[in-house]
Amino acid sequence: MKAYFISGMAADERVFKYIQLPGGYEIVHLTWIAPLAHESLPAYAARLAQRIDTNEPFALVGLSFGGMLVTEIAKVLPPARVILISSIPLSAHLPRYFRLAAAFRLHKIVPISMIKTAARWKRYISGENAADKKLLWEIIDSSDPAFIRWSMEAVLTWKNEVLPQPLIHIHGGYDIVLPQRYTHPTHVIPKAGHLMVMAQHAELNALLQKLLA
């Protein structure tokens, strides 16, 4: 079975470098396509889904923003499994301060350069090793400002009340980007943060092996 992976906002497939699935799964990365002007998150997800081979069973795996896209893809294509990592399946699970930012249109006026700088500085206090911190700095530096601006708008205007099925939702107890208290994961890794795909990959892989074997 192919497992189609979608990374988080301003990231790419390199963040999944440690992820290992049980035998019988083939990882396929759905890399970003350019968004259209004023394109919604569901519309973008539908275009991204055109690259999925529906002639055989498939799984969907989404990290953070990628999990929201996976949720929308599952509405139009029937996956065998939906796996969300450090993400949310319903728009109501967005933290309240996201809605405050949307109300004040902060995502429209805050410079992308400032967002990138904050993301770089955050790596100094995050749990990745030195090599992974360097990789994440490279990913942040190479990310497309226009795509970041679009994706922020897409998230803050996203409306979804339908849980994808069958759902595996893995969240970190120390996630400060999308805190666990706002959502209802099926599985929690207690000491993991938002980027547990790298910093806590051993625990995550062990859980995936158990759930997918």
Side-chain angles (χ1 to χ4, degrees):
M1 181 188 298
K2 288 186 173 66
Y4 292 90
F5 278 63
I6 306 179
S7 65
M9 186 187 302
D12 60 34
E13 66 275 10
R14 289 176 287 178
V15 298
F16 295 120
K17 69 175 190 174
Y18 293 119
I19 297 303
Q20 299 175 350
L21 300 183
Y25 285 87
E26 175 190 352
I27 293 178
V28 179
H29 295 289
L30 289 180
T31 55
W32 301 121
I33 54 178
L36 304 177
H38 309 298
E39 188 170 29
S40 68
L41 193 151
Y44 182 91
R47 288 201 299 125
L48 201 61
Q50 293 174 10
R51 298 156 64 186
I52 294 174
D53 181 2
T54 58
N55 292 317
E56 58 185 4
F58 64 91
L60 297 170
V61 183
L63 169 66
S64 190
F65 175 55
M68 302 174 201
L69 290 168
V70 157
T71 295
E72 289 297 331
I73 291 174
K75 289 182 180 180
V76 295
L77 298 179
R81 295 179 185 273
V82 176
I83 303 171
L84 305 186
I85 302 172
S86 304
S87 188
I88 56 172
L90 303 176
S91 54
H93 293 181
L94 280 170
R96 294 184 183 89
Y97 45 81
F98 276 56
R99 304 188 186 285
L100 186 63
F104 285 97
R105 309 298 286 170
L106 296 181
H107 60 293
K108 292 285 191 180
I109 60 177
V110 175
I112 298 301
S113 58
M114 183 182 296
I115 295 172
K116 285 192 172 191
T117 298
R120 292 189 199 99
W121 278 100
K122 185 182 176 184
R123 303 278 64 80
Y124 287 106
I125 59 172
S126 57
E128 303 88 24
N129 60 43
D132 288 342
K133 289 180 190 292
K134 181 179 178 181
L135 173 61
L136 289 168
W137 284 326
E138 292 174 356
I139 291 173
I140 293 166
D141 288 340
S142 64
S143 59
D144 180 9
F147 184 84
I148 295 174
R149 182 74 71 188
W150 167 80
S151 55
M152 290 169 62
E153 172 78 11
V155 168
L156 294 177
T157 57
W158 180 46
K159 301 296 181 185
N160 177 56
E161 299 179 350
V162 180
L163 277 174
Q165 295 295 336
L167 176 64
I168 295 172
H169 177 187
I170 306 173
H171 218 80
Y174 285 177
D175 192 319
I176 62 173
V177 177
L178 296 169
Q180 178 197 340
R181 66 182 180 274
Y182 292 111
T183 188
H184 304 289
T186 59
H187 300 82
V188 176
I189 299 179
K191 296 184 179 180
H194 193 64
L195 266 182
M196 61 180 168
V197 289
M198 300 185 82
Q200 287 84 25
H201 62 272
E203 296 96 319
L204 178 57
N205 279 334
L207 181 56
L208 289 172
Q209 294 286 329
K210 177 182 178 181
L211 295 173
L212 301 180

